[in-house]
Structure formats: structure tokens, C-alpha cells
Amino acid sequence: MFLDFILSPQNWLDPAGPVASDQKDLFLFTLYLCIGIFVIVGGFMLYSILKFKAKPGDEELPDQSHDGTQLEIGLMVVSAILVAVIAVPNVKLLYKLAEPPRGSNPLQVNVIGHQYWWEFEIPEYQIATANEFKIPIGRPIEFNVSSVDVIHSFWVPRLGGKVDAVPGRDNYLWFQADQEGWYSGQCAELCGSSHAKMKFEVHAVNDEEFLAWVEKEAAPAEQPITELAKEGKELFLTKMCVTCHAVKGYDGAIGITGPNLSHFGSRRKLAGMWVENTKDNLEDWLGDPASFKPDNIMALQGPMYIDDKFALTRDEIEKLAAYLKELY
Amino acid sequence: MSGHSHKLALPKFLSFLKNRPTKENGLVSWLTTVDHKRIGILYLYTSFFFLFVGGIEALFVRSQLSANDLEIFVGSTYNQLVTMHATTMIFLAIMPLAAAFFNFMIPLQIGARDVAFPRLNAFSYFMYLAGGIVLNASWFMGGASDAGWFAYAPLTSATYSPTHGVDFWILGLILTGISSTVAAINFIVTIINMRAPGMTLMKMPVFSWMAFVTAFLLAFALPVITIALIILFMDRNYGTTFFQTAAGGDPILWQHLFWVFGHPEVYIIVLPAFGIVSEIIPVFSRKPLFGYKLVVLSGAAIGFMGFTVWSHHMFTVGMGPIVNSAFSITTAAIAIPTGVKIFNWILTLWNGKIKFSVPMMYSTALVFLFMVGGFSGLMHGAAASDFQQHDTYFVVAHFHYTILGGGLFGFLAGTVYWLPKFFGKIMDEERGRKIFWWIFISFNLTFFPMHFLGTSGMPRRIYTYSSDMEWTALNGFITLASFVLGIALLVFFIEVIKAVKSKNKASADPWDARTLEWSIPSPPPVYNFADLPKIEKIDEFWESKVSNKPIKTLPRDPHGIHMPGKSWMPLITSIGLLIASFGAVYESDLRYIGLGIFLLAYYGWALEGEAEYYLPYPKKGKK
Ligand SMILES: [Cu+2]
Ligand SMILES: [Cu+2]
């Protein structure tokens, strides 16, 4: 039971790509080296403690010598060598990870941190989405990471180390997934009340699936079919959701404060990856977003949550949810 | 009485200030004291209190994390707890604990009657208390800061932290910063000027040496953070934009300023503890410290190198491989002087006749625990893999092993070791041992598993996690262990207080120790040394015991024993600044009232009467 943590989807000692794998190797190299020295030095200390314990009643002074310059210099030289032994592979790896291998045709992705969600753009395909995105396996992905508000940190543990999303800066990171699958990521820099809930997922798929996804994401949003959803679409405008959310092909829905919802219905999860994107959860979210994510911007600034005049009724919530679910 | 009198006349209405307070007992005597020993005791008790507060905050944090999806302390409340736990522990508990020992022990160890500036010393204490009050007042005045103890811009800006929490935090830290800066200068001057004749720097006890190095670290590091805090306060309240990207400022500037202070801060915490351990290990091994010179030099080297590594806290801000490599290497290099210390402690044990009294148990534990923290630090120093560990629970484990394992354990050792000198009482050995094992084991059960949370991807400062992250069982275990640790520490402090109140009278030299503080009674008389010692060797007191010759002393002063006069001014100046701080938070007129009080008391400080007095000598032969 206490070993459950090994199964964590964020266990970076279970890498799924070359970057995380190199980092794991360096980590383990330094770890084993440190354990080795610890066992030697700590063992020496433990031995001294046990060996030189005073016998009861023995009041005679022990040998008082307290200098050994050569010994000390020797020990310092050994420490210096150990430091160098760590420094060399570290610096090598720092340079190796600075960019993807030559001639590997990386895919560009822009990552923008927001309190408390992630925006992802793939300029090559003119895609803008949030909290979930797909990448092709076996191809390096280059991220251009920044932030619109405070500092966040972009991190997908099983694919590679993190880089901070700093307002006013474009930070660089690359990684690559070698196996298909969902990779859990999480903001790693305290960014406010809902920092814990600023999670996201990267779905690594084969080329075919990736291109299919890209095509769908690049297309305008689906038109609603059911009556309920059609009314929801109206409400999306009249209830001012459009001031913060964009929906491709919906005139006026060009808000940028919140996530782009063009294909929201196809997302797996909701509220910073906390719950499944089901009708019930979605309705709960629309009823009270703050109960999922404390102090999130929709709850703090959305007129329907701060002013009773604009509060959503049960009925309106159902319609809005129906509409959003049909944005496939 | 001294011959010279003050020529400057006081205005009539202030004439009551002419006479220094003289009460020897009761509350007034504590409020006006300038005796370094009493100030040390004030520091000791106040830091115990804040250790308790910070501990409660830690247990609140652990409760919230004990299982997935709990909603006990959510969002901002949780962030306030985390921020205040760190701030309280570092600035109000651990640093002042070191200050308690500096105050009490430095003059005794170097054979002086007091510190160089006794009133300034009292001022340091009251400023620390004022800082603690301001920081914690925020809880009751709209909420504490929730921006983390390193308070990264722009999260701290008025836009993203609109409550007064951050303002209180800034002003509280400025006050404690003034306290520490002033204290540092006081200790530096004391150590340079007031050592007993013959005690060259290279004959000074190692604890005083580490205090000396620490004082320089404080004097150089604190101004940086103080300035950064002032700038931040201006950004928040007066429309400047140093850290605001949109207006051309740079949030990364804050990180540089913060860590230029923040890394030396680590050594500000551990070097005093190293000093304590370097006193205790020789005493209980009944041998001189191995390689005294190298221990001293390596301490100084650590202090110096501590200023060259700050960006290892910033490997992920995007500095590029050149800068990251440079800071990786400087960081790893600190392992060399640190290793020297560890080797010397072990070589001191070697061939000794070791007595495992309680102070020795904490000291040897410190060596082990600090090694664990040091090695994980070395691992963090490898930037290329630190991209993974950074900001995870691996780091949380690391700095608790260094700050508690390498710091607090030393201070616990010092508390038990010097308790006889502080209070003339000794702690119960049997119970002391039991408590040690409870603390040692629960400490490791609390913090060691955090390494595994880190490698399984748990970021620090998240107030909750979902069950599919698989961190629940381990977190539950850690929380359980942390409560045991909390209780064990509480029992330790209760035991200290019980010992102080008990009748277990300690002799002048209960441990058969080596340094000068043990040559005078426990507790020492107000004047410390009736006859000031003349020093010829390192560990003069030990040598005198071994050779059975008394320590040589200076001739007596015909006036009597020269003593510093008590004063109200340190307290009043501090109250002035305390009031001004509240005024500054609310931008109210209290600012001017507070500053007015400060200036008046400052004036009084300069002009108050008769700075010193003389006590009659005790009879020769009687200590
Ligand atoms: Cu965050
Ligand atoms: Cu550091």
C-alpha cells in the first residue's frame, strides 16, 4: 500500500521518452554515487561511535592528537574529484537537452499559463485548445512557454523536466514521447489559490490519429442539434459567456480570458483534470465553479457568479451544458 | 562612579529620562534589561513560542494532505498556512534560536562582560518580537500572505494579492531584518574588540567562530532582502513597477534578489548549529576538535561560497545551459568545505572515549541527518536532472533534512548542553534520551518518505491531490509521523521547562567541558567574569583543568566591576517602529505617530543619563 506511489502517473522514474529517460539516468547516477559515499562515511562514523564508546568508570584521557594535514588534504582531493565526477555528465546533459537532435523536424507548440489553466496552440495547424492536447509519438515537440499573469511551471514528469512560464518571457523546452498514452502534467510553481488544480494532460498518439485530431480541432465548432443545445447556444451569448470564451465560427464568441471551448465536448476531463467531463459534472461546474477550483477567474469575475441579477437558473445551466457537450 | 558627565542638557519635559532604570527584578527589569544573558533567555523563550506556532501550522498543513481531496484548509487558506509556516520557522523560530545562543554564549566564550552595544542588543530582541507580532497580526487582520515564503513576483503584486497579507509580511520581515542586521553588527564588533587578552582569532572557540561567520553572512545578505522588500512594498502601494512585466519591470529580478539572500540564509541557519556540534563532539569524546584550523576555515569558506550559488534555486526559469552549468558547479563545490567539517567531526570521534549524553546524541544525529540533506542537495545541484526534482516534495525532504536535521538538531543539542549555563539546571538524562529517540525516529519517518513523493511527481505547495495520483497512502503515513514528531518536540520543550523549574542544580562544569563559559558558575553572575581571564591557548579552561593551574587573570579595576546601564529606550524605539509598521500597512497617520515615538526615543537613547555603573568585586577565590 505504501508503495502505491510507484504507480503514479507522474512518476518520473518511469520515463516515456528520451528526455525524461536521460534525466532519470543522471538522477540515478548521482543517487547511487551519493548512497555509496553515505554508506562509506556514515559507516565510518557509526563504527567510530560504537568502537570508541567510553567504558563506564574509565576516566583516563584518550590520545589527544588532533591534526592530520595530509589526511585532510587527501579527503579534500577525494571530495573534489567526486564533485567533478558529477559535474561532467551534468554539464553534458544540460547541453544535450538544450535542443532536440539535429534533423528531427520538431513540432512547435505554444504553451501559455493562465491562473489556473493551460492554453495550448499549435501554430502549424492553427489550433488553440486548453488543458488537453495530442502529440505525435516519436517526434520531438518544442514548446514555447509563457504566461499571461503570474509565474507557472510547465511539467509533464514522465516526458521531461519542467520549465517556468514567466510573464514577458518566452521559455524553451522540448521533449518527445516514445509510447502512446495519456501523460499527466501539472503546474509546479505556486500561482495562487487553485495551484493544486492546474493540471493538464498530453495524449501521445500515432501520426494518423494525430492528423485526424488536428483536422477536427482546426475546423469550426459543430452546430447544435438538439433543441436544448440550440437554446444553450443562445444563452452562451446572452449570458455573456462569450466575453471570456471563444468558439470557432460563433460570431462574437472571441473571449480570451477563459479556455477556448470550440471542441469542448471532446475533452476527457474538466476543472483542471479533476473530474470526468460528464453532463452532471459540467452542470455542477456551471452552477458553482468555485467549489471545484477556489478563486478561479470564472467564479471571481463572471457576472453570473458575483451578481444575483445574472445568476444562472437550473434550466439555463442544463441548456448551456447540453450545448457545450455538443461542441464536439 | 565615573568621572565624566553628559554636557548636553535634556529639555525639561524629558528630564525623567536622565536617570537610567535600575530595577533588578520583575517585569520592568526584563523590559529594560541590557544583560546579554537575559536577552539570550528572552530570545530562547520567544523562539520556543514561535516554534510552537510554526509547528501547529505544519500540522494543519499535514492534516489537509493526509488523504486525497480533503477540504479542511483549501486554496488561499492552505497557501497562507504554508507561507506562514515557512516564514515563522525560518525568521521567528530557527534564526532567533541561533541568536539566543549567540547572545548568551559569545561574551562568555570570549571572556567578556557583555556585548559591545548592550542597548542595541536589547533593541535587536524587541525588533524581532515586533516583527513576529506584525507577521502574525495579519492572521487577524484580513488574512496572512498566501504567496509562499519566497514570494515570487508578480504573484505578490497588488493585482494578484489584493489583501494586506503581503504588506504585513513585508513589514514583519523588514523589522526582523533590522533586528538581525543590528545584531550581526553588534556580534561582529563584540568579537573583534572584546575578546579576552591573548585570545587571538585562531584561539577562539569554534562556536564563536561560526557565530562570527554567520554575523558577516547576515550583514551582507540581509540588506539585499530588505531592499527587495522595500521595492516590493513600493510596487504594491506607491505605483512603482520594478517587478511588473506589463510596465517593463522584471519578475525574475525579485528571484535574484531573494535568493542572493535566500541561499546564504541556509548557512545562516546551519553554521551556528555546526558551531554547537563542533563544541559538543570534542567535549563528549574527551579530545580536542580534530583540525581546528580547517574547521574554522571551512566554515568561512562555506559562508563565502554561499554567496556564489543562489541561482541553483532558479534552474527552471530559463537561464540557459551556460548559466545553469556555472551554478551547478559552484553548488557542488560547496560539498568540499562541508565534507571537511564532517570528516573532522568523525576524526574527532576516532580514538576518543565517547560519552553518549543527550547533547552528544543530537550532535551525532545532526551529522547523519545533515549528510542526507547534503547529498540530496548535491543531487539538486545537477541541474539537468533537477529539472525533474525542482519544486517537488524531493526538495521539501531535502530542506527539512538540512534545516531541521542540520539546524534544529544542533539547537536542540545546544539547548540541552547549555541549559546548565542558562538556568543553572540540568535536564533529566533518562527522559532526555527517550525523547531524543522519539524525535529522531519520527523525524525520519516524516521527512524521508517525502523523497518518494517527489520522485512520483508530487509538486510542493499543492493543497490537494486526486486519488489517481497514488500519493494517498504515503501522505497518510507522513501525516501520522508528523504528529508524532510534533508531540515529541512538544514533550522536549516541556521537559526543558520542567528542568528549569526543577531542583536539579547543575555545577559550573557538569560536562567536563573545554571552553571559558564553563569556568564560571551556572548560571553566571551578572558580570560573568569577576576577574577577566588572560588566554594563552585554545581551550584555555580545559588546559587549566588538565594542568591543575588556574586561568591567569587581569588586575582588578579600582572602580569595581564595570557594568552597562539598563534602559527603556530599546523598547520604546521598537514600539515606535511597530506602530509605524501598522500605519504603513494601512497608510494611516499611525505611521507618523510611530515614527515620532521612534525619533523621540532615539533622541532619548543618545542623551539619557549615566551609561554605566560599577559593582563591587566578590571576594577573591570565591567565584
Ligand atoms: Cu501553479
Ligand atoms: Cu540554495
Side-chain angles (χ1 to χ4, degrees):
Chain A
M1 178 171 82
F2 293 123
L3 293 179
D4 285 352
F5 65 88
I6 294 173
L7 304 172
S8 173
Q10 293 186 181
N11 177 2
W12 43 269
L13 294 180
D14 177 20
V19 174
S21 170
D22 280 345
Q23 288 170 332
K24 174 194 172 183
D25 291 345
L26 180 64
F27 175 83
L28 290 181
F29 171 73
T30 55
L31 177 68
Y32 294 147
L33 197 70
C34 287
I35 291 179
I37 311 170
F38 182 79
V39 167
I40 295 170
V41 180
F44 187 51
M45 172 146 171
L46 202 63
Y47 174 79
S48 328
I49 288 176
L50 298 174
K51 170 98 198 281
F52 299 110
K53 228 172 167 166
K55 311 214 165 41
D58 179 3
E59 289 302 320
E60 215 176 308
L61 286 184
D63 177 17
Q64 297 288 299
S65 63
H66 54 88
D67 260 323
T69 316
Q70 272 166 343
L71 178 65
E72 304 237 32
I73 291 175
L75 288 170
M76 272 155 78
V77 171
V78 174
S79 329
I81 293 173
L82 286 170
V83 166
V85 166
I86 294 181
V88 172
N90 172 40
V91 171
K92 264 194 182 154
L93 187 58
L94 276 173
Y95 278 88
K96 179 176 169 194
L97 297 186
E99 52 191 32
R102 253 164 230 258
S104 57
N105 182 29
L107 176 73
Q108 306 291 328
V109 176
N110 294 334
V111 175
I112 302 146
H114 296 253
Q115 273 182 331
Y116 303 101
W117 58 283
W118 293 98
E119 180 178 357
F120 301 107
E121 294 172 350
I122 307 181
E124 188 179 334
Y125 302 104
Q126 300 196 335
I127 292 174
T129 182
N131 298 347
E132 286 177 26
F133 67 111
K134 295 193 198 313
I135 57 169
I137 53 168
R139 182 173 170 194
I141 317 294
E142 284 191 319
F143 296 97
N144 180 29
V145 182
S146 72
S147 164
V148 296
D149 38 46
V150 300
I151 299 179
H152 307 273
S153 194
F154 175 74
W155 186 33
V156 190
R158 293 190 59 212
L159 298 179
K162 55 188 77 65
V163 72
D164 294 351
V166 183
R169 286 201 178 204
D170 288 319
N171 269 342
Y172 175 85
L173 183 80
W174 76 274
F175 60 56
Q176 173 180 322
D178 287 340
Q179 302 152 25
E180 291 187 24
W182 288 89
Y183 296 102
S184 176
Q186 180 157 16
C187 174
E189 185 63 74
L190 179 68
C191 56
S193 302
S194 275
H195 164 57
K197 299 203 164 170
M198 194 168 157
K199 288 156 64 78
F200 60 98
E201 273 176 27
V202 180
H203 190 192
V205 293
N206 60 36
D207 280 348
E208 237 167 89
E209 220 178 305
F210 177 70
L211 287 176
W213 176 74
V214 159
E215 201 175 324
K216 191 173 67 61
E217 282 288 318
E222 303 278 340
Q223 289 305 321
I225 302 167
T226 62
E227 249 347 279
L228 215 56
K230 282 181 184 155
E231 286 180 48
K233 185 179 174 186
E234 284 308 308
L235 286 168
F236 198 72
L237 180 76
T238 54
K239 285 288 166 182
M240 292 174 287
C241 312
V242 292
T243 54
C244 293
H245 292 287
V247 174
K248 229 183 213 175
Y250 187 155
D251 269 350
I254 47 165
I256 51 165
T257 312
N260 184 314
L261 297 177
S262 305
H263 302 279
F264 176 78
S266 65
R267 292 202 203 137
R268 271 215 314 175
K269 290 186 181 173
L270 185 64
M273 299 291 124
W274 217 259
V275 291
E276 301 296 318
N277 185 6
T278 62
K279 177 171 160 288
D280 286 348
N281 285 334
L282 180 57
E283 288 177 1
D284 289 347
W285 166 269
L286 293 178
D288 184 9
S291 69
F292 289 81
K293 295 175 101 174
D295 296 339
N296 78 71
I297 306 300
M298 175 152 147
L300 277 188
Q301 294 176 8
M304 48 300 229
Y305 305 109
I306 50 180
D307 190 338
D308 281 343
K309 264 205 318 259
F310 303 108
L312 300 174
T313 64
R314 198 62 249 157
D315 180 55
E316 288 165 342
I317 289 176
E318 263 172 46
K319 289 172 181 161
L320 281 165
Y323 168 60
L324 290 170
K325 289 299 279 181
E326 287 188 21
L327 289 175
Y328 217 73
Chain B
M1 287 283 135
S2 71
H4 53 97
S5 63
H6 293 279
K7 285 271 148 32
L8 274 165
L10 279 172
K12 256 249 167 72
F13 74 101
L14 286 176
S15 59
F16 75 95
L17 292 173
K18 248 190 184 143
N19 300 317
R20 297 274 197 119
T22 53
K23 273 245 166 53
E24 298 290 342
N25 293 303
L27 184 63
V28 171
S29 73
W30 285 92
L31 295 178
T32 58
T33 188
V34 295
D35 178 352
H36 71 99
K37 298 182 288 301
R38 284 191 155 200
I39 293 169
I41 290 172
L42 288 172
Y43 265 109
L44 191 72
Y45 278 139
T46 316
S47 52
F48 282 179
F49 170 75
F50 282 116
L51 202 58
F52 180 75
V53 174
I56 297 283
E57 283 156 358
L59 293 184
F60 283 175
V61 165
R62 281 314 318 171
S63 313
Q64 165 62 24
L65 293 177
S66 59
N68 54 276
D69 293 295
L70 290 184
E71 303 237 335
I72 312 171
F73 302 104
V74 171
S76 169
T77 314
Y78 179 88
N79 293 348
Q80 291 175 35
L81 283 170
V82 171
T83 305
M84 288 301 285
H85 162 66
T87 307
T88 303
M89 285 307 199
I90 291 172
F91 295 97
L92 304 179
I94 301 280
M95 281 171 78
L97 208 49
F101 294 120
F102 289 173
N103 263 292
F104 206 99
M105 292 304 153
I106 292 175
L108 300 185
Q109 285 205 325
I110 64 172
R113 292 240 166 86
D114 209 308
V115 294
F117 308 116
R119 285 183 294 173
L120 211 54
N121 202 19
F123 175 72
S124 293
Y125 169 73
F126 288 121
M127 287 305 279
Y128 151 50
L129 188 61
I133 291 172
V134 171
L135 279 168
N136 283 286
S138 59
W139 284 118
F140 311 102
M141 302 177 87
S145 167
D146 62 357
W149 90 278
F150 43 74
Y152 277 2
L155 186 57
T156 46
S157 69
T159 318
Y160 301 109
S161 290
T163 72
H164 280 306
V166 174
D167 296 320
F168 277 111
W169 184 83
I170 292 171
L171 284 157
L173 287 192
I174 291 178
L175 295 185
T176 58
I178 295 174
S179 159
S180 304
T181 313
V182 165
I185 292 166
N186 207 344
F187 292 134
I188 291 172
V189 177
T190 303
I191 287 173
I192 291 181
N193 283 336
M194 298 179 62
R195 276 168 291 126
M199 183 183 277
T200 57
L201 280 177
M202 289 318 274
K203 287 184 185 144
M204 193 161 70
V206 183
F207 175 70
S208 292
W209 246 113
M210 291 306 109
F212 193 44
V213 175
T214 306
F216 276 104
L217 291 185
L218 285 167
F220 288 116
L222 279 168
V224 182
I225 186 71
T226 305
I227 288 167
L229 288 166
I230 292 171
I231 297 178
L232 178 60
F233 195 80
M234 299 202 304
D235 264 16
R236 285 178 57 82
N237 296 298
Y238 303 118
T240 59
T241 55
F242 288 93
F243 306 127
Q244 311 311 322
T245 316
D250 185 1
I252 302 302
L253 172 64
W254 167 268
Q255 296 192 16
H256 284 292
L257 292 174
F258 186 88
W259 290 116
V260 165
F261 148 81
H263 193 86
E265 173 65 29
V266 177
Y267 298 109
I268 288 170
I269 289 171
V270 298
L271 283 181
F274 286 3
I276 294 173
V277 168
S278 304
E279 298 283 328
I280 291 175
I281 290 182
V283 167
F284 291 90
S285 307
R286 300 175 55 72
K287 275 177 65 190
L289 181 66
F290 194 92
Y292 168 89
K293 275 192 192 131
L294 266 180
V295 173
V296 165
L297 284 178
S298 62
I302 291 174
F304 180 77
M305 293 164 85
F307 279 100
T308 64
V309 301
W310 76 92
S311 283
H312 67 202
H313 297 266
M314 300 163 57
F315 284 147
T316 64
V317 299
M319 299 183 297
I322 300 176
V323 177
N324 282 351
S325 300
F327 280 96
S328 271
I329 291 169
T330 54
T331 301
I334 294 198
I336 301 170
T338 313
V340 168
K341 295 218 161 218
I342 291 175
F343 296 140
N344 280 296
W345 289 327
I346 299 177
L347 289 168
T348 307
L349 295 169
W350 188 257
N351 260 337
K353 290 190 177 171
I354 306 168
K355 288 195 175 153
F356 268 96
S357 297
V358 180
M360 187 63 164
M361 297 174 84
Y362 284 105
S363 300
T364 41
L366 176 140
V367 183
F368 277 113
L369 300 178
F370 187 76
M371 271 202 274
V372 176
F375 283 127
S376 57
L378 204 57
M379 296 175 67
H380 287 306
S385 51
D386 183 63
F387 295 146
Q388 290 283 20
Q389 287 128 271
H390 177 77
D391 263 335
T392 67
Y393 265 76
F394 202 89
V395 180
V396 180
H398 159 70
F399 66 70
H400 283 93
Y401 267 90
T402 50
I403 295 180
L404 296 195
L408 185 67
F409 269 71
F411 298 126
L412 297 182
T415 305
V416 183
Y417 177 63
W418 278 316
L419 201 68
K421 215 29 78 179
F422 267 89
F423 299 105
K425 304 289 172 56
I426 198 155
M427 219 162 122
D428 183 84
E429 180 79 18
E430 260 328 292
R431 278 204 298 279
R433 279 165 196 277
K434 276 201 198 113
I435 297 170
F436 165 80
W437 283 112
W438 279 98
I439 292 179
F440 180 76
I441 292 169
S442 59
F443 171 87
N444 283 294
L445 292 181
T446 304
F447 295 107
F448 202 78
M450 289 187 185
H451 292 107
F452 302 122
L453 286 180
T455 59
S456 55
M458 179 163 166
R460 52 195 289 206
R461 294 162 162 179
I462 54 173
Y463 77 85
T464 193
Y465 50 91
S466 63
S467 61
D468 49 345
M469 290 293 128
E470 308 290 357
W471 303 323
T472 310
L474 206 52
N475 268 303
F477 177 82
I478 290 172
T479 299
L480 214 68
S482 72
F483 272 84
V484 178
L485 177 61
I487 293 169
L489 281 168
L490 187 64
V491 172
F492 177 91
F493 290 109
I494 291 174
E495 193 61 30
V496 168
I497 292 168
K498 260 168 61 186
V500 173
K501 296 251 178 299
S502 75
K503 297 201 172 62
N504 298 342
K505 278 223 164 24
S507 63
D509 180 23
W511 314 112
D512 195 7
R514 317 181 68 86
T515 38
L516 277 182
E517 74 268 29
W518 303 102
S519 70
I520 53 175
S522 304
V526 260
Y527 46 76
N528 300 348
F529 298 87
D531 296 291
L532 292 173
K534 256 163 84 177
I535 305 300
E536 279 159 5
K537 301 202 174 89
I538 298 181
D539 293 349
E540 181 79 28
F541 175 56
W542 173 263
E543 300 293 342
S544 85
K545 287 192 288 187
V546 172
S547 64
N548 222 342
K549 282 191 208 124
I551 302 176
K552 293 205 183 90
T553 55
L554 293 184
R556 290 185 162 183
D557 181 342
H559 295 111
I561 301 175
H562 183 193
M563 298 295 297
K566 296 186 192 334
S567 173
W568 282 107
M569 298 309 151
L571 176 65
I572 304 176
T573 40
S574 307
I575 291 177
L577 290 180
L578 175 68
I579 295 174
S581 300
F582 281 100
V585 171
Y586 290 105
E587 300 195 26
S588 81
D589 289 344
L590 276 180
R591 275 180 289 190
Y592 310 114
I593 297 173
L595 281 178
I597 295 174
F598 170 77
L599 286 175
L600 273 178
Y602 191 68
Y603 188 60
W605 186 313
L607 301 179
E608 67 180 340
E610 219 53 74
E612 59 261 299
Y613 65 100
Y614 288 86
L615 285 174
Y617 277 100
K619 283 218 183 66
K620 272 253 178 180
K622 247 189 88 196
K623 290 246 166 108

